[in-house]
Amino acid sequence: MRNFTNNNTARRYKAHVSLVGTTQLHLRNPYIIAWWSAAFPGFGHLLLSKYLRGYALILWELLVNNMAHLNYGIIYSFTGNFKMAKEVLEPRWLLLYLPVYIFGIWDSYRSAVDMNKVYLLAERENANFNSFIIGAVEVNYLDKRRPSMAIFWSFLTPGLGQLYIHRVITATFMVSFMIVFVYFSNVLVAVHFLFMGEISKATEALNPQWFLFIPSQIGFGVYDAYVNTVENNKLFDSEQRTFLRKNYNQYRIKIPTSAEV
């Protein structure tokens, strides 16, 4: 039986299964990718599996956004307090923020368009790729997962949905970021006061600069886990179909018709 592995003899592969996750090419809407980059720099690149660039932009966002007090400015602007928004913003960091923010949107859109073209070529070439790997620390293989479960676990804690579909690196970073956001925003302290009926104390305890990161984190965790679960299921079906066709297509059984009987 043939060994279905990435042997670097093909020009393009649709997917690669490794100990830390499954990376694959599939069609993506460039506008949705750009939107996620606008919501949080780096998220669009993570959707494209460009992890190094994505995590670099996320770390940059956390640093520069906090130094510029951008989230404070957003909250004051949305509440109509434009004078406080002007006072709280740090212009030296804010002017540094804008070029990289725009670059993240543009680069994720451009990359999505290019990767869609690469996917179409890889789909036409349909080269063999590995679907199972086992090592001393982990096992990973293609199988089908339930998208609803990926949504459920991601909604509870961003990163758990990625762990469910074996995207270990993304899951580790997302859970780590969520711990940082929850700790510095004091959101659990605010929830504690809220359950006790002390609304004013809950409001005072909440740190809006860090709290504003959490909605984007949860939304992205849910969306990313759902999309990748669906695409992994499609990849599983495609790999199974290719394997059966190449190895068992010659054993076709001819069913006689009533006339031949």
Side-chain angles (χ1 to χ4, degrees), residues 199-218:
I199 300 177
S200 58
K201 286 187 177 181
T203 305
E204 293 175 2
L206 199 64
N207 186 334
Q209 173 63 34
W210 287 95
F211 177 74
L212 214 59
F213 290 129
I214 295 179
S216 298
Q217 179 83 345
I218 295 176

Side-chain angles (χ1 to χ4, degrees), residues 15-254:
H16 176 70
V17 177
S18 68
L19 291 176
V20 294
T22 301
T23 305
Q24 68 177 112
L25 295 173
H26 59 84
L27 292 177
R28 299 171 174 91
N29 188 328
Y31 292 104
I32 293 179
I33 299 297
W35 186 90
W36 277 112
S37 291
F40 202 112
F43 281 175
H45 290 87
L46 293 187
L47 288 171
L48 297 173
S49 298
K50 288 182 168 289
Y51 300 115
L52 294 180
R53 198 175 306 183
Y55 292 129
L57 287 171
I58 290 174
L59 293 175
W60 169 87
E61 163 72 13
L62 295 179
L63 172 64
V64 181
N65 190 315
N66 280 292
M67 298 303 293
H69 305 142
L70 183 60
N71 285 347
Y72 276 117
I74 292 173
I75 291 174
Y76 287 135
S77 297
F78 282 175
T79 55
N81 197 342
F82 298 106
K83 182 178 180 181
M84 282 296 297
K86 288 182 180 180
E87 293 178 358
V88 76
L89 289 174
E90 173 54 59
R92 292 174 296 180
W93 286 96
L94 182 62
L95 295 177
L96 180 66
Y97 181 88
L98 293 176
V100 182
Y101 179 78
I102 296 173
F103 168 81
I105 298 174
W106 171 81
D107 186 66
S108 64
Y109 177 88
R110 176 198 62 82
S111 297
V113 172
D114 288 344
M115 292 181 69
N116 284 345
K117 297 176 183 178
V118 173
Y119 166 76
L120 294 176
L121 294 173
E123 179 71 19
R124 178 173 297 180
E125 188 171 353
N126 198 25
N128 298 333
F129 60 90
N130 57 318
S131 60
F132 178 90
I133 186 168
I134 184 170
V137 295
E138 190 59 88
V139 178
N140 188 22
Y141 50 89
L142 286 181
D143 66 341
K144 284 200 168 185
R145 303 291 171 92
R146 295 172 58 187
S148 59
M149 291 304 298
I151 293 175
F152 172 75
W153 288 114
S154 294
F155 185 76
L156 289 182
T157 300
L160 295 184
Q162 283 72 20
L163 201 59
Y164 170 66
I165 58 175
H166 202 91
R167 301 187 70 195
V168 178
I169 296 179
T170 302
T172 301
F173 271 86
M174 293 197 68
V175 171
S176 301
F177 288 144
M178 194 62 185
I179 293 173
V180 172
F181 297 158
V182 169
Y183 178 81
F184 285 104
S185 67
N186 296 325
V187 65
L188 296 183
V189 177
V191 170
H192 171 74
F193 284 127
L194 193 63
F195 282 161
M196 296 180 64
E198 301 182 18
I199 300 177
S200 58
K201 286 187 177 181
T203 305
E204 293 175 2
L206 199 64
N207 186 334
Q209 173 63 34
W210 287 95
F211 177 74
L212 214 59
F213 290 129
I214 295 179
S216 298
Q217 179 83 345
I218 295 176
F220 173 77
V222 171
Y223 179 80
D224 177 74
Y226 172 79
V227 169
N228 280 285
T229 304
V230 171
E231 294 300 332
N232 280 1
N233 290 345
K234 293 179 182 178
L235 184 67
F236 173 84
D237 290 339
S238 175
E239 193 274 338
Q240 286 284 79
R241 184 166 53 249
T242 301
F243 175 80
L244 294 173
R245 185 176 296 150
K246 288 184 177 180
N247 290 274
Y248 297 99
N249 199 41
Q250 67 270 27
Y251 301 116
R252 289 184 176 179
I253 299 175
K254 184 179 180 181

